[in-house]
Amino acid sequence: MEPSDVLTHKNGRQRKLAGATLPNDNMRDMDRGERSASEPDIEDEAEGLIGGSDSEDRRHRVRPGIRGELGNVLLLLFLYVLQGIPLGLAGSIPLILQSKSVSYKDQAFFSLVFWPFSLKLLWAPLVDALYFSRFGRRKSWLVPTQYLLGLFMLYLSITVNSLLQSEGGPNVVILTAVFFMLAFLAATQDIAVDGWALTMLSRENVGYASTCNSVGQTAGYFLGNVLFLALESADFCNKYLRIEPKDTGIVTLSDFLFFWGVVFLVSTTLVAVFKRENEHSKGKRRVQEETQGVMETYRLLLSIIKMPTVFTFCILLLTAKMGFSAADAVTGLKLVEAGVPKEQLALLAVPMVPLQILLPVVISKYTAGPRPLDIFYKAFPFRLLIGLEYALLVWWTSSVKQEGGFPVYYYAVVLLSYAVHQVALYSMYVACMAFHAKVSDPLIGGTYMTLLNTVTNLGGNWPSTVALWMVDPLTSKECQGAVGQSCGSPEEAGLCVKEGGVCVTTLDGYYVESVVCVVIGLAWWIWLGKKMRRLQEQSPAAWKCRIN
């Protein structure tokens, strides 16, 4: 048995579009591209072992073609769209919280919501190995997780307004708990759908699974984030969609959650009742999936991590993005704090889509050689400099704000800044993925690749959480208008206001972080970046896992 059968999930992309928390690309880096090319080859090898009489029959077999499996392709596409909805909603909540002036420590706490997709390797073996055979290996997990997603959305549709508008401010703890569960369930659904895709489609059409993944998650995230933020904004709706202005948008968060909660429940019921997991069309050989024991899978992962080259590479991946954390995690929230409408930031996703499609294609031409990490190394300092440019952009924002909003040239500068950021980000991302594919042991390609990509994603999440957490402690404020008062804590700030004063920021922690992160990033690039490049000089044997 090929160990790559153990983890059939491709770990989706959870593709975060260019709006939302504008440069917050930890979600973008979180999960894209974790797919193993080895699974379809397993069927090739299995068919190669079949006797000559069967091979004679296969010569006359009619290839199914995409038309014969269009229904399966559309189902996969729809399931991935559903997966993107809660992720898009989770991405919109920080902007809503920022408009309600929550602390950056609260934002840091809520950022834990984005961790499940980076940690799902921890429970993926369980999803792969435990199931009810009569109901279906993938449906055993897909159906209950999607029902729970629908129920959580219905629960949120009733309670979200009270959670966002409680007396002491938004109830960040409960919001984080509920959206964490949504992300956890979406990640589990992703494992099940990715595995099902490999058997739902024939060998000839299994390549469409990654297309469904990419398009579906992108569309779902767009619906749950960009479209929602636009339709929820009274200003946007009054300006572009209404004749008579109103105080609210066309939809509310509660309405949006209720609608998609019902969609989840209805669609899951239809899939459970009408879609048989083990059916296969005429002329299509049923793929026999083998399962390695759960403990064997975890032992395999541990044996990979213990390899000296892999362990070193993982440490480098976990620390490489520290220099980008302030720019990626905080900049978008600072722009909202400075008065930039969150729906306008979200709409920057639209012109970014063509760039996001073309960049991997162009960059892959330069990472296809034996030294893909050279591109990673060269793009690193440019991305650091873009972080400083983001800080300048935030500082400039307050000076260009006008009574009616921001001028068109301001949004042009923001869009250009983000486009340049994308070039550096994709250069590093594609180079890293190319190196993962180059060094992964083909005997355990699925598990090996997913492990490396999971570590990469986690290396983007933890620095972002720390960066959000440190903004407030690094910020200095003083109380003006009230003698003897200070603004060192929320309680002291409240006393300052009560005494007739006002808290004024004398040093914004974001700017401190931006400089510190660039210094840390440069130090990493000078000392550890060269060490990462030297890993390319290791022999292929240094990356092969010796399984006992």
Side-chain angles (χ1 to χ4, degrees), residues 50 79 88 92 102 113 141 156 163 166 175 203 208 242 266 315 322 384 402 427 449 474 484 521 542:
I50 300 173
L79 292 175
S92 68
V102 301
V113 165
W141 289 90
L156 265 177
L163 293 176
S166 57
L175 279 171
R203 184 190 63 186
Y208 286 101
R242 285 180 176 146
V266 173
I315 295 299
M322 292 188 296
L384 288 176
Q402 301 173 351
S427 296
M449 279 279 287
L474 293 174

Side-chain angles (χ1 to χ4, degrees), residues 193-215:
V193 175
D194 285 348
W196 196 2
L198 298 175
T199 54
M200 185 185 296
L201 301 179
S202 65
R203 184 190 63 186
E204 291 83 357
N205 294 323
V206 74
Y208 286 101
S210 61
T211 303
C212 293
N213 184 307
S214 173
V215 175

Side-chain angles (χ1 to χ4, degrees), residues 132-151:
F132 298 102
S133 57
R134 295 183 112 187
F135 189 54
R137 181 175 187 174
R138 308 303 175 185
K139 285 173 62 177
S140 294
W141 289 90
L142 177 76
V143 171
T145 52
Q146 289 199 169
Y147 270 134
L148 287 173
L149 278 165
L151 292 174

Side-chain angles (χ1 to χ4, degrees), residues 176 205-206 238 269 312 520:
T176 302
N205 294 323
V206 74
N238 293 337
T269 301
T312 301
I520 292 174

